[in-house]
Amino acid sequence: MQTTKHFAVIGNPIAHSRSPELHQAFAQKTGITLVYNKRLAQIGQFESSIDEFFKNHGTGLNVTVPFKEDAFKACDVLTERAKIAKAVNTLWQKEGKLYGDNTDGQGLVNAINALEWPLSQSRILILGAGGATRGVIFPLAEAGAHEIVIANRTLSRATQLIQDLSPHIQNTSLNAVGLDQLTGHFDIVINATSASLSGDTLLLPESLTFNYAYEMAYGKPSHFLDEAKKRNIPYADGFGMLVGQAIESFYIWNGTRPNLKDFL
Ligand code: ATR
């Protein structure tokens, strides 16, 4: 008989998380029996909460805002992409050690692949230079992007990020630009700013053109997507990325990878 594995997503706040329903849907599709809960941790009590979870025979944890950097620091063993992202969203234990990975960037790559937008040899523009951008550059480069330009309101933050990441990126050229200097043509533009989350406008100059628009946020009004709609450009919000990162976590823990297109 199959034993029931226990999973949870830990964050603060956590009530809004869609991870439990996604993982239940993957379990149903793949014939795995699991329990997946939401776990609220108080600020400053992240480590004690994960200790308790694993002591009680939990198999794996997803980590969300604001604990991804705490999770990164808590791990004994990290994957390469987690080291580069400096953030962890997937935890498990093996032989008494805490392992951490970051599946967010691969989740974005999977979502873009499911949309059948071209990544190989592409010229990609990422708006924003925060944690969300840091997590996706290495997976996008591994997926074959020819050039990634990071545009940020504060140019120095984009320049610093590129300096940090360059040693890890071999075949993709990385460039930084100020948000107000944007111009030229890109295959895909990805909005990784928190502008949509805070309801801010994000003005894009006419001289910036692109074929596809991806908004990392989902379930929020997005000026970036309004602009894509106005320009009649194919677009998507971050739901596919959410499903994509969940599938990669599910794969780490359960060894089987559901098909993203079945859950969109
Ligand atoms: P996250 O971890 O989600 O990336 P973050 O580290 O706070 O969050 O980064 C937010 C990003 O959104 C930054 O790149 C920020 O630009 P600055 O570095 O100049 O602050 C960007 N951002 C937030 N609001 C914005 C707005 N209204 N217009 C343009 N960029 C914005």
Side-chain angles (χ1 to χ4, degrees):
M1 208 186 76
Q2 201 186 51
T3 53
T4 303
K5 296 192 209 176
H6 287 253
F7 300 95
V9 56
I10 182 167
N12 187 340
I14 200 62
H16 65 285
S17 174
R18 297 192 62 180
S19 292
E21 64 182 273
L22 287 175
H23 282 265
Q24 286 299 352
F26 303 158
Q28 220 164 33
K29 198 86 181 172
T30 54
I32 287 170
T33 311
L34 59 79
V35 172
Y36 191 114
N37 294 315
K38 294 174 189 172
R39 207 174 162 88
L40 178 72
Q42 297 310 320
I43 308 301
Q45 290 178 4
F46 172 74
E47 286 221 30
S48 55
S49 183
I50 62 172
D51 282 351
E52 185 191 85
F53 175 82
F54 285 113
K55 272 199 191 103
N56 286 319
H57 311 292
T59 300
L61 272 178
N62 278 131
V63 182
T64 187
V65 179
F67 298 123
K68 290 185 187 184
E69 285 176 23
D70 293 320
F72 168 77
K73 288 178 191 150
C75 285
D76 303 305
V77 186
L78 292 160
T79 60
E80 186 183 14
R81 61 191 181 187
K83 278 184 201 158
I84 296 169
K86 292 201 164 123
V88 156
N89 76 334
T90 307
L91 293 169
W92 66 101
Q93 267 194 339
K94 208 166 87 186
E95 290 156 7
K97 289 204 162 97
L98 184 64
Y99 282 69
D101 196 356
N102 188 317
T103 65
D104 288 330
Q106 190 58 42
L108 173 66
V109 167
N110 293 353
I112 292 176
N113 284 336
L115 290 161
E116 296 175 13
W117 299 355
L119 279 174
S120 176
Q121 291 307 311
S122 60
R123 193 159 186 255
I124 296 178
L125 172 66
I126 306 180
L127 309 174
T133 299
R134 176 181 274 274
V136 300
I137 290 174
F138 179 65
L140 286 170
E142 292 280 289
H146 172 70
E147 183 184 6
I148 299 174
V149 175
I150 300 168
N152 202 40
R153 186 171 56 182
T154 316
L155 174 61
S156 58
R157 233 181 140 189
T159 314
Q160 182 62 50
L161 187 57
I162 286 177
Q163 248 175 39
D164 272 19
L165 295 182
S166 288
H168 307 282
I169 312 276
Q170 259 86 51
N171 301 315
T172 305
S173 70
L174 298 180
N175 293 296
V177 63
L179 207 51
D180 52 358
Q181 297 148 16
L182 268 179
T183 186
H185 185 76
F186 292 86
D187 296 300
I188 303 175
V189 179
I190 298 165
N191 183 18
T193 70
S194 49
S196 306
L197 300 176
S198 50
D200 290 351
T201 32
L202 195 66
L203 290 175
L204 300 178
E206 295 284 330
S207 60
L208 169 72
T209 59
F210 43 100
N211 297 338
Y212 301 96
Y214 198 93
E215 165 68 79
M216 276 202 201
Y218 77 93
K220 297 263 180 192
S222 157
H223 291 280
F224 172 67
L225 289 188
D226 290 346
E227 179 70 22
K229 288 175 201 166
K230 209 167 78 191
R231 295 184 184 201
N232 248 328
I233 287 166
Y235 64 88
D237 72 10
F239 185 67
M241 178 174 175
L242 176 81
V243 178
Q245 62 77 31
I247 284 177
E248 291 304 306
S249 296
F250 189 88
Y251 174 65
I252 290 166
W253 298 325
N254 300 300
T256 173
R257 192 183 263 122
N259 184 354
L260 196 149
K261 284 187 186 174
D262 291 342
F263 303 93
L264 295 179

mmCIF file of all heavy atoms in Angstrom, residues 128-133 152-154 157 179 192-195 197-198 200-202, ligand 1:
data_model
loop_
_atom_site.group_PDB
_atom_site.id
_atom_site.type_symbol
_atom_site.label_atom_id
_atom_site.label_comp_id
_atom_site.label_asym_id
_atom_site.label_seq_id
_atom_site.Cartn_x
_atom_site.Cartn_y
_atom_site.Cartn_z
ATOM 1 N N GLY A 128 12.727 45.267 -14.442
ATOM 2 C CA GLY A 128 12.914 45.052 -13.006
ATOM 3 C C GLY A 128 14.228 44.354 -12.728
ATOM 4 O O GLY A 128 14.737 43.604 -13.579
ATOM 5 N N ALA A 129 14.783 44.606 -11.551
ATOM 6 C CA ALA A 129 16.075 43.999 -11.193
ATOM 7 C C ALA A 129 16.067 43.525 -9.739
ATOM 8 O O ALA A 129 17.091 43.516 -9.071
ATOM 9 C CB ALA A 129 17.196 45.009 -11.426
ATOM 10 N N GLY A 130 14.896 43.094 -9.259
ATOM 11 C CA GLY A 130 14.793 42.587 -7.885
ATOM 12 C C GLY A 130 14.960 41.080 -7.842
ATOM 13 O O GLY A 130 15.506 40.462 -8.768
ATOM 14 N N GLY A 131 14.465 40.483 -6.761
ATOM 15 C CA GLY A 131 14.588 39.040 -6.559
ATOM 16 C C GLY A 131 13.916 38.226 -7.657
ATOM 17 O O GLY A 131 14.421 37.165 -8.048
ATOM 18 N N ALA A 132 12.794 38.714 -8.158
ATOM 19 C CA ALA A 132 12.063 37.973 -9.196
ATOM 20 C C ALA A 132 12.925 37.846 -10.452
ATOM 21 O O ALA A 132 12.988 36.790 -11.075
ATOM 22 C CB ALA A 132 10.751 38.678 -9.507
ATOM 23 N N THR A 133 13.627 38.916 -10.810
ATOM 24 C CA THR A 133 14.502 38.886 -11.990
ATOM 25 C C THR A 133 15.697 37.979 -11.740
ATOM 26 O O THR A 133 16.057 37.165 -12.589
ATOM 27 C CB THR A 133 14.974 40.321 -12.327
ATOM 28 O OG1 THR A 133 13.823 41.104 -12.616
ATOM 29 C CG2 THR A 133 15.926 40.339 -13.512
ATOM 30 N N ASN A 152 15.923 48.598 -15.538
ATOM 31 C CA ASN A 152 15.417 48.927 -14.203
ATOM 32 C C ASN A 152 15.336 50.431 -14.006
ATOM 33 O O ASN A 152 16.116 51.193 -14.568
ATOM 34 C CB ASN A 152 16.309 48.310 -13.116
ATOM 35 C CG ASN A 152 15.564 48.172 -11.806
ATOM 36 O OD1 ASN A 152 14.385 47.810 -11.796
ATOM 37 N ND2 ASN A 152 16.230 48.479 -10.702
ATOM 38 N N ARG A 153 14.328 50.819 -13.195
ATOM 39 C CA ARG A 153 14.152 52.233 -12.838
ATOM 40 C C ARG A 153 15.446 52.747 -12.217
ATOM 41 O O ARG A 153 15.947 53.802 -12.588
ATOM 42 C CB ARG A 153 12.982 52.301 -11.839
ATOM 43 C CG ARG A 153 12.529 53.652 -11.451
ATOM 44 C CD ARG A 153 11.264 53.565 -10.655
ATOM 45 N NE ARG A 153 11.407 52.695 -9.460
ATOM 46 C CZ ARG A 153 10.427 52.430 -8.622
ATOM 47 N NH1 ARG A 153 9.211 52.928 -8.822
ATOM 48 N NH2 ARG A 153 10.623 51.664 -7.577
ATOM 49 N N THR A 154 16.023 51.972 -11.311
ATOM 50 C CA THR A 154 17.314 52.309 -10.722
ATOM 51 C C THR A 154 18.382 51.512 -11.478
ATOM 52 O O THR A 154 18.578 50.323 -11.223
ATOM 53 C CB THR A 154 17.339 51.915 -9.228
ATOM 54 O OG1 THR A 154 16.111 52.311 -8.637
ATOM 55 C CG2 THR A 154 18.507 52.538 -8.497
ATOM 56 N N ARG A 157 21.063 49.081 -9.879
ATOM 57 C CA ARG A 157 20.633 47.764 -9.387
ATOM 58 C C ARG A 157 20.719 46.717 -10.500
ATOM 59 O O ARG A 157 21.095 45.570 -10.259
ATOM 60 C CB ARG A 157 19.185 47.865 -8.893
ATOM 61 C CG ARG A 157 19.020 47.354 -7.499
ATOM 62 C CD ARG A 157 17.580 47.442 -7.058
ATOM 63 N NE ARG A 157 17.216 46.261 -6.309
ATOM 64 C CZ ARG A 157 15.981 45.972 -5.941
ATOM 65 N NH1 ARG A 157 14.993 46.769 -6.281
ATOM 66 N NH2 ARG A 157 15.739 44.890 -5.259
ATOM 67 N N LEU A 179 15.254 52.161 -17.204
ATOM 68 C CA LEU A 179 13.894 51.993 -17.726
ATOM 69 C C LEU A 179 13.522 53.143 -18.667
ATOM 70 O O LEU A 179 12.775 52.963 -19.622
ATOM 71 C CB LEU A 179 12.921 51.947 -16.535
ATOM 72 C CG LEU A 179 11.614 51.206 -16.665
ATOM 73 C CD1 LEU A 179 11.783 49.789 -17.176
ATOM 74 C CD2 LEU A 179 10.907 51.174 -15.318
ATOM 75 N N ALA A 192 8.962 41.854 -14.582
ATOM 76 C CA ALA A 192 9.303 41.304 -13.263
ATOM 77 C C ALA A 192 9.369 42.421 -12.227
ATOM 78 O O ALA A 192 9.908 42.221 -11.141
ATOM 79 C CB ALA A 192 10.640 40.574 -13.335
ATOM 80 N N THR A 193 8.814 43.591 -12.557
ATOM 81 C CA THR A 193 8.740 44.645 -11.540
ATOM 82 C C THR A 193 7.560 44.330 -10.633
ATOM 83 O O THR A 193 6.702 43.508 -10.967
ATOM 84 C CB THR A 193 8.494 46.042 -12.157
ATOM 85 O OG1 THR A 193 7.154 46.093 -12.677
ATOM 86 C CG2 THR A 193 9.494 46.370 -13.237
ATOM 87 N N SER A 194 7.509 44.997 -9.503
ATOM 88 C CA SER A 194 6.359 44.816 -8.621
ATOM 89 C C SER A 194 5.299 45.877 -8.904
ATOM 90 O O SER A 194 4.389 46.065 -8.101
ATOM 91 C CB SER A 194 6.822 44.867 -7.167
ATOM 92 O OG SER A 194 7.641 45.996 -6.957
ATOM 93 N N ALA A 195 5.403 46.548 -10.081
ATOM 94 C CA ALA A 195 4.468 47.639 -10.401
ATOM 95 C C ALA A 195 3.013 47.163 -10.385
ATOM 96 O O ALA A 195 2.151 47.837 -9.826
ATOM 97 C CB ALA A 195 4.826 48.257 -11.750
ATOM 98 N N LEU A 197 1.734 44.668 -8.759
ATOM 99 C CA LEU A 197 1.324 44.304 -7.400
ATOM 100 C C LEU A 197 0.930 45.542 -6.604
ATOM 101 O O LEU A 197 0.046 45.500 -5.764
ATOM 102 C CB LEU A 197 2.452 43.545 -6.678
ATOM 103 C CG LEU A 197 2.894 42.250 -7.357
ATOM 104 C CD1 LEU A 197 4.070 41.625 -6.626
ATOM 105 C CD2 LEU A 197 1.735 41.261 -7.434
ATOM 106 N N SER A 198 1.620 46.666 -6.907
ATOM 107 C CA SER A 198 1.303 47.895 -6.165
ATOM 108 C C SER A 198 0.353 48.798 -6.950
ATOM 109 O O SER A 198 0.033 49.885 -6.495
ATOM 110 C CB SER A 198 2.603 48.632 -5.806
ATOM 111 O OG SER A 198 3.408 48.759 -6.943
ATOM 112 N N ASP A 200 0.903 50.357 -9.722
ATOM 113 C CA ASP A 200 1.579 51.488 -10.380
ATOM 114 C C ASP A 200 1.517 51.352 -11.898
ATOM 115 O O ASP A 200 1.460 50.260 -12.434
ATOM 116 C CB ASP A 200 3.073 51.509 -10.001
ATOM 117 C CG ASP A 200 3.284 51.904 -8.560
ATOM 118 O OD1 ASP A 200 2.304 52.320 -7.915
ATOM 119 O OD2 ASP A 200 4.431 51.789 -8.085
ATOM 120 N N THR A 201 1.577 52.500 -12.576
ATOM 121 C CA THR A 201 1.675 52.473 -14.042
ATOM 122 C C THR A 201 3.110 52.171 -14.446
ATOM 123 O O THR A 201 4.055 52.479 -13.715
ATOM 124 C CB THR A 201 1.311 53.830 -14.686
ATOM 125 O OG1 THR A 201 1.704 54.844 -13.798
ATOM 126 C CG2 THR A 201 -0.140 53.929 -15.035
ATOM 127 N N LEU A 202 3.259 51.562 -15.612
ATOM 128 C CA LEU A 202 4.583 51.247 -16.138
ATOM 129 C C LEU A 202 4.540 51.707 -17.591
ATOM 130 O O LEU A 202 3.933 51.045 -18.429
ATOM 131 C CB LEU A 202 4.804 49.738 -16.036
ATOM 132 C CG LEU A 202 6.216 49.226 -16.202
ATOM 133 C CD1 LEU A 202 7.118 49.698 -15.070
ATOM 134 C CD2 LEU A 202 6.195 47.702 -16.218
HETATM 135 P P1 ATR B 1 10.911 41.257 -6.172
HETATM 136 O O1 ATR B 1 11.646 40.414 -5.190
HETATM 137 O O2 ATR B 1 9.471 40.896 -6.357
HETATM 138 O O3 ATR B 1 11.618 41.364 -7.474
HETATM 139 P P2 ATR B 1 11.918 43.812 -5.261
HETATM 140 O O4 ATR B 1 13.227 43.217 -4.959
HETATM 141 O O5 ATR B 1 11.284 44.759 -4.299
HETATM 142 O O6 ATR B 1 10.806 42.699 -5.491
HETATM 143 O O7 ATR B 1 12.026 44.508 -6.703
HETATM 144 C C1 ATR B 1 10.969 45.213 -7.255
HETATM 145 C C2 ATR B 1 11.378 45.644 -8.662
HETATM 146 O O8 ATR B 1 10.275 46.350 -9.259
HETATM 147 C C3 ATR B 1 12.564 46.611 -8.702
HETATM 148 O O9 ATR B 1 13.282 46.364 -9.877
HETATM 149 C C4 ATR B 1 11.866 47.983 -8.745
HETATM 150 O O10 ATR B 1 12.658 48.991 -9.330
HETATM 151 P P3 ATR B 1 13.741 49.797 -8.428
HETATM 152 O O11 ATR B 1 14.921 48.861 -8.232
HETATM 153 O O12 ATR B 1 14.098 50.980 -9.230
HETATM 154 O O13 ATR B 1 13.034 50.119 -7.137
HETATM 155 C C5 ATR B 1 10.714 47.657 -9.640
HETATM 156 N N1 ATR B 1 9.560 48.570 -9.520
HETATM 157 C C6 ATR B 1 8.675 48.624 -8.507
HETATM 158 N N2 ATR B 1 7.721 49.547 -8.754
HETATM 159 C C7 ATR B 1 8.027 50.088 -9.968
HETATM 160 C C8 ATR B 1 7.419 51.080 -10.787
HETATM 161 N N3 ATR B 1 6.326 51.711 -10.411
HETATM 162 N N4 ATR B 1 8.000 51.388 -11.972
HETATM 163 C C9 ATR B 1 9.117 50.736 -12.359
HETATM 164 N N5 ATR B 1 9.748 49.779 -11.631
HETATM 165 C C10 ATR B 1 9.206 49.458 -10.458
#
